[in-house]
Amino acid sequence: MAAARMPDTAFVPTMGAFHEGHLHLMREAKKDGRPVCVSLFVNPLQFGPAEDLSRYPRNEQRDFDLAEQQGVDVIFAPVPAELTDHQNVSIHVKGLTERWEGAARPGHFDGVATIVAKLFNIVLPNVAYFGWKDLQQCLVIRQMVDDLNMPVRLEFLDTVRESDGLAMSSRNAYLSPEEREVAPRLYQTLQTASREIHADADIDGVLHSSRQSLAQSGFVVDYFELVSLRNLEPIRARSDCALIVAAKLGTTRLIDNLRLVSPQT
Ligand code: AMP
């Protein structure tokens, strides 16, 4: 596909099914003063064979209306073949993709990086907006942009949450009413762990009791770890790191994280 050559653009890549998290990215992009382009593309390359591609929520007309209400100038909503027809090149970011979501979802980040690179080449944005909600994705894209000298500035924005703390996610729609009631405990557990780590508690003990308390609430925990914000390796530190969690409630896999900065900053 030929590049669209929109000059001077702020770009928000998404998979649609918009919630306030997406709309926040659009509004912040708008503040940049440039025309805003939002892509709406449920990227098949980032879904594993056993994952939820076919049941991923889709509502294009609602998404178009919501984007327009945020002042978005262009929506790019390609049909899958436009971006996936040529699959002879794939971008693999080493290291950062090995653990966590990369381990749970083999090939996921290759799919993300390849499609984000293609979107960057089509939209040619000056600046692109992503959410810290997908912390590992942010670091993977930053590494790709740095290593491939891509001429785009990246902005990462904080997670938008429901009033009870649950991180907004298109996948929250899969939760049963009972699971939806339990789901905020994910963030509450992150907050408790963060407070305890800042209060100098033993970090291994904090991580262990966090995992236990989530399991007691009905979560099947994939990981609950403290990792370096530099390389995502487990670390025992009290700043420049992040608590990351992935856990299943029923069939729904939820992820969340909390970055730890030193209390005095
Ligand atoms: P998705 O449509 O899930 O691929 O998400 C598109 C962009 O929105 C990604 O950069 C996500 O990290 C970001 N995002 C998703 N959920 C949230 C949220 N609750 N708060 C802020 N950004 C989010």
Side-chain angles (χ1 to χ4, degrees):
M1 169 186 270
R5 306 250 165 230
M6 277 182 60
D8 216 21
T9 307
F11 181 41
V12 184
T14 81
M15 298 207 300
F18 293 156
H19 50 64
E20 267 303 314
H22 297 113
L23 304 185
H24 175 61
L25 296 187
M26 295 174 206
R27 288 193 291 265
E28 288 302 307
K30 195 72 194 164
K31 285 185 193 160
D32 202 71
R34 301 179 159 90
V36 173
C37 174
V38 169
S39 64
L40 200 166
F41 182 65
V42 183
N43 171 14
L45 303 190
Q46 72 182 67
F47 287 79
E51 290 185 36
D52 54 355
L53 173 64
S54 61
R55 69 166 189 150
Y56 196 82
R58 288 172 167 86
N59 194 340
E60 277 205 349
Q61 192 52 55
R62 176 179 173 273
D63 286 347
F64 289 164
D65 293 344
L66 284 169
E68 199 179 348
Q69 285 162 24
Q70 317 311 311
V72 167
D73 298 274
V74 175
I75 297 191
F76 179 47
V79 296
E82 281 182 275
L83 294 191
T84 59
D85 253 6
H86 308 282
Q87 283 193 46
N88 300 308
V89 177
S90 174
I91 296 187
H92 176 69
V93 175
K94 278 194 242 169
L96 281 173
T97 58
E98 268 157 38
R99 290 178 186 262
W100 322 122
E101 292 310 286
R105 308 177 67 188
H108 169 72
F109 286 117
D110 293 0
V112 170
T114 305
I115 291 297
V116 169
K118 285 172 75 89
L119 290 170
F120 282 178
N121 283 338
I122 293 165
V123 177
L124 298 173
N126 299 65
V127 51
Y129 288 77
F130 294 88
W132 275 124
K133 157 84 172 31
D134 299 287
L135 182 142
Q136 190 169 9
Q137 174 172 280
C138 289
L139 300 196
V140 166
I141 289 168
R142 185 166 70 193
Q143 184 85 72
M144 173 182 80
V145 163
D146 285 352
D147 274 25
L148 297 180
N149 307 91
M150 292 180 164
V152 55
R153 174 165 61 85
L154 298 174
E155 293 286 345
F156 301 142
L157 302 187
D158 280 336
T159 302
V160 178
R161 298 178 180 281
E162 303 284 357
S163 55
D164 58 13
L166 176 64
M168 290 196 181
S169 163
S170 313
R171 291 194 167 91
N172 294 349
Y174 304 152
L175 297 169
S176 71
E178 296 73 30
E179 290 163 352
R180 176 63 190 79
E181 261 187 40
V182 174
R185 293 195 199 158
L186 206 57
Y187 184 52
Q188 288 159 10
T189 309
L190 286 171
Q191 285 180 305
T192 305
S194 159
R195 268 197 304 275
E196 290 174 358
I197 291 171
H198 275 144
D200 273 348
D202 171 67
I203 292 173
D204 283 309
V206 170
L207 297 177
H208 180 71
S209 58
S210 303
R211 289 180 201 119
Q212 267 193 332
S213 115
L214 285 173
Q216 277 159 11
S217 299
F219 290 89
V220 176
V221 180
D222 181 355
Y223 55 80
F224 189 108
E225 252 304 338
L226 184 68
V227 297
S228 156
L229 274 173
R230 195 174 52 80
N231 57 16
L232 288 180
E233 291 297 313
I235 192 172
R236 297 299 173 251
R238 295 175 206 273
S239 63
D240 302 318
C241 52
L243 286 160
I244 58 170
V245 62
K248 264 188 161 180
L249 264 184
T251 55
T252 308
R253 189 162 185 279
L254 300 174
I255 62 169
D256 203 349
N257 66 80
L258 194 55
R259 282 168 293 130
L260 273 63
V261 289
S262 44
Q264 59 272 38
T265 56

